[in-house]
Amino acid sequence: LGPSPELIGAYCRKEISWGEFAEKFRAYLMLPRGKLLLLRLIKRAWVSSVTLLCVEETPERCHRRLIAEMCLEIDSSLEVYIE
């Protein structure tokens, strides 16, 4: 569920803004493969706790927050803690 090297590279090189990154990453997650992976993550979260990690220190501009938000959009009954 990580961003493609091209997408994260463009963001790190400041070729695109955070808003553009978030929009493109959300679009990627809505493709059939991304949506399938989100559904698998949600299914796993119903069985045990799931922790998403990233190199970013805070979740404000991190792909893990976007993933968590999309999982909540799909299943609003999930318990999600973003720290």
Side-chain angles (χ1 to χ4, degrees):
L1 286 169
S4 70
E6 296 80 18
L7 182 57
I8 194 65
Y11 175 67
C12 290
R13 290 188 302 272
K14 300 188 186 319
E15 296 170 2
I16 61 173
S17 68
W18 170 254
E20 292 169 304
F21 171 86
E23 183 179 323
K24 290 175 187 274
F25 187 60
R26 287 178 188 271
Y28 161 75
L29 291 176
M30 291 312 297
L31 294 173
R33 172 115 173 105
K35 192 142 188 184
L36 174 65
L37 293 173
L38 287 174
L39 292 172
R40 287 183 181 169
L41 180 63
I42 291 166
K43 184 176 179 182
R44 177 163 299 206
W46 278 108
V47 175
S48 64
S49 295
V50 174
T51 302
L52 303 177
L53 301 173
C54 181
V55 300
E56 294 294 332
E57 292 182 23
T58 62
E60 288 78 27
R61 293 190 175 195
C62 180
H63 80 290
R64 64 187 169 197
R65 180 181 57 82
L66 300 174
I67 292 169
E69 289 173 353
M70 293 200 65
C71 286
L72 277 172
E73 288 173 16
I74 294 169
D75 185 346
S76 63
S77 66
L78 289 173
E79 289 184 40
V80 174
Y81 303 94
I82 300 173
E83 298 178 19

